[in-house]
Amino acid sequence: MTQTLKTKVLIIGAGTGGYVAGIRCGQLGLDTVLVDGGDGLGGTCLNVGCIPSKAIIHAAGKFETVARAAGGGTLGITAAAPAIDLSQTVEWKDGIVRKLNGGVAALLKKAKVKVIKGWAKFEDAKTCVVKTDDGEIRITAEHVILATGSEPVELPFLPFGGDVISSTEALSLSEVPKRLVVVGGGYIGLELGIAYRKLGAEVAIVEMAERILPLYDKALTDPVAKWLEKHGVELHLGARAGGFGDGKLSITTKDGEPLQLDADKVLVTVGRRPRTQGWGLENMGVAMAGPFVKIDPRCATSMKNVWAVGDLTGEPMLAHKGSAQGEVVAEIIAGHDRVFDPVTIAAVCFTEPEIVSAGLGPNEVAGRDDVIQSVFPFAAIGRALAIEAGEDGGFVRVIASKTDHRILGIQAVGQHVSELSNSFAQMLEMGAVLEDVAGTIHVHPTLGEAFHEASLRALGHAIHI
């Protein structure tokens, strides 16, 4: 028997865009139903992406620290050779996920959002049928928010299954593979490849581009490349992957030569695509922008009162973008005058070392003579040296207008620089000039002093260099 349900707002997808939209709708007094048929509350980010990957990366860092102490001592500390039971590490990671799942559920309940677990299929723009364990529910809504997220891209000649895995499976392995080959040298592949190298796996990376992390400028990625070289990670750049069988991955090298790479696991991380199939998007009559749902600055689609947020709407496919869009849409539905028009959306690679980029980079201002570029190395920052973060070539770079000193972009590479990303975004969002950063007393000793010094250097009077 099919139940019927009417609501003011219907949200499809419980990832960082959908659940945040739901909570904000509830706070604003809107009758809201959230349908989740995917990874669970929190979506990809919380369940099989951002959060669990950072947990595994953290554990890998701890393991590497002990391994260094066992391999001759570090900082005067010695230790016995470490061992890891990856199944226990994964169980610890799963515990974090469960705790956060419960937190999201509690927040949605507090906001009086009705959560339905099941797969939705739209019959038209405002009506969907949800198949649940208890039967079917037909839901009609005045407003629909699409937040279906994204999924890993599968290569036709390397289909997922068995020892060919996506990032999802890589976060739940029961043991560290002896030999891991990563296909794709973007941030997901490098984050996980580096983590497994720290855990003791032999790692090879196959990337079609001429260098790793091709979306970032070379100065930012060089410290990561140096770490990979120092730690014996095999790089095959300008190379193409082929088929996998009998524990060997076939590749074609940059020179066109065939090569076989031994692999216990092949991790394919060649990108993500919006999740547009299987839930009736084709019945909704919304316009598309290539593979993405087309939206305007209010996150409105071409169909009245149908909205879209998050990865479904295009690059950058980042969790914090989806959350911000979800808040905007909820407030618009409640009658507020809002648009989604950020100055910047900062991006972070949790590699070794970490990379942050916000605003314009050197590639975007190449050839312009109306900008200042200033770099300050972490090697000249006391805090960085005290935590062994000043010897990997890391730095903070500031790009600003020559005429009015308006900051146009900020980048950094180094250990723990992800924690500077919000400061970078805040300065850009507020329209700060170099003098704003220079005039802010930065706490000593902190890594953030490098941002201060880079701004001072752009003005011609850095102190510590």
Side-chain angles (χ1 to χ4, degrees):
M1 182 176 177
T2 301
Q3 302 178 51
T4 59
L5 187 63
K6 291 184 178 181
T7 185
K8 174 79 172 181
V9 182
L10 168 63
I11 303 170
I12 304 299
T16 49
Y19 90 73
V20 169
I23 290 170
R24 189 70 184 114
C25 282
Q27 291 173 342
L28 293 164
L30 302 172
D31 183 29
T32 304
V33 173
L34 174 63
V35 176
D36 171 45
D39 298 306
L41 296 179
T44 294
C45 176
L46 194 158
N47 293 277
V48 293
C50 315
I51 300 300
S53 67
K54 303 315 166 283
I56 295 296
I57 288 168
H58 174 72
K62 293 286 189 183
F63 184 86
E64 183 195 35
T65 298
V66 179
R68 284 174 58 199
T74 177
L75 310 179
I77 302 168
T78 56
I84 185 165
D85 182 338
L86 191 60
S87 62
Q88 289 189 32
T89 307
V90 168
E91 176 55 35
W92 165 75
K93 176 266 296 181
D94 290 342
I96 294 169
V97 170
R98 286 192 296 271
K99 183 176 181 179
L100 292 171
N101 280 146
V104 172
L107 291 168
L108 288 165
K109 183 178 180 180
K110 181 181 178 182
K112 299 182 180 178
V113 176
K114 182 177 179 62
V115 177
I116 298 174
K117 185 164 182 58
W119 290 99
K121 184 73 178 283
F122 278 88
E123 298 176 340
D124 57 45
K126 305 292 173 54
T127 307
C128 75
V129 174
V130 181
K131 291 186 177 182
T132 73
D133 292 339
D134 300 321
E136 291 186 346
I137 305 174
R138 175 174 270 101
I139 307 173
T140 58
E142 185 179 336
H143 293 266
V144 173
I145 303 176
L146 303 176
T148 55
S150 63
E151 58 196 3
V153 172
E154 185 177 47
L155 295 173
F157 50 86
L158 278 176
F160 294 132
D163 291 327
V164 178
I165 60 176
S166 73
S167 55
T168 298
E169 292 77 35
L171 294 169
S172 295
L173 295 178
S174 58
E175 60 184 17
V176 177
K178 182 178 179 182
R179 179 78 179 178
L180 174 69
V181 176
V182 180
V183 178
Y187 76 95
I188 297 175
L190 282 176
E191 286 182 4
L192 293 174
I194 288 170
Y196 274 104
R197 181 68 191 112
K198 289 181 178 182
L199 291 171
E202 295 177 32
V203 176
I205 295 171
V206 180
E207 166 58 44
M208 287 178 60
E210 296 298 316
R211 58 186 184 83
I212 58 169
L213 297 168
L215 295 180
Y216 293 89
D217 67 90
K218 188 173 182 298
L220 278 180
T221 61
D222 274 350
V224 180
K226 288 176 182 175
W227 189 96
L228 296 173
E229 181 181 3
K230 180 180 178 181
H231 291 82
V233 175
E234 202 176 297
L235 284 181
H236 298 275
L237 302 176
R240 292 178 177 271
F244 174 72
D246 297 325
K248 294 183 182 297
L249 176 71
S250 299
I251 72 167
T252 303
T253 69
K254 179 181 178 180
D255 299 325
E257 298 295 324
L259 186 65
Q260 299 270 304
L261 300 179
D262 292 331
D264 298 305
K265 299 288 181 184
V266 176
L267 170 59
V268 179
T269 58
V270 294
R272 296 183 65 84
R273 62 186 174 202
R275 190 176 280 124
T276 56
Q277 303 297 315
W279 49 272
L281 176 63
E282 64 278 5
N283 300 325
M284 300 186 74
V286 300
M288 303 295 289
F292 302 104
V293 171
K294 186 177 182 180
I295 58 170
D296 68 11
R298 300 166 71 242
C299 300
T301 71
S302 59
M303 181 64 67
K304 182 177 173 59
N305 290 349
V306 176
W307 316 82
V309 302
D311 290 359
L312 187 64
T313 65
E315 297 288 353
M317 296 167 79
L318 298 170
H320 41 291
K321 182 197 79 170
S323 297
Q325 288 178 319
E327 287 189 67
V328 166
V329 170
E331 292 175 9
I332 290 172
I333 293 172
H336 299 196
D337 184 14
R338 290 293 309 277
V339 294
F340 181 70
D341 185 27
V343 173
T344 186
I345 303 174
V348 177
C349 294
F350 291 87
T351 45
E352 186 65 61
E354 295 175 346
I355 296 174
V356 176
S357 182
L360 298 181
N363 294 339
E364 286 86 4
V365 299
R368 288 175 55 174
D369 59 6
D370 62 339
V371 298
I372 308 166
Q373 294 194 48
S374 171
V375 172
F376 194 89
F378 281 114
I381 296 295
R383 172 68 169 165
L385 295 176
I387 60 172
E388 299 182 283
E391 300 174 358
D392 55 15
F395 60 84
V396 173
R397 179 205 292 134
V398 176
I399 300 174
S401 167
K402 271 186 184 177
T403 53
D404 62 3
H405 293 175
R406 185 80 56 198
I407 297 175
L408 305 174
I410 316 163
Q411 295 83 41
V413 56
Q415 292 182 46
H416 312 296
V417 295
S418 57
E419 296 302 326
L420 300 179
S421 58
N422 296 315
S423 176
F424 295 171
Q426 183 181 38
M427 285 296 178
L428 287 163
E429 194 67 42
M430 295 178 69
V433 295
L434 292 170
E435 288 82 357
D436 290 322
V437 184
T440 300
I441 298 174
H442 284 64
V443 173
H444 175 77
T446 62
L447 297 180
E449 290 177 278
F451 183 23
H452 185 231
E453 290 276 11
S455 300
L456 289 173
R457 194 174 194 186
L459 292 168
H461 53 88
I463 300 299
H464 290 97
I465 200 167

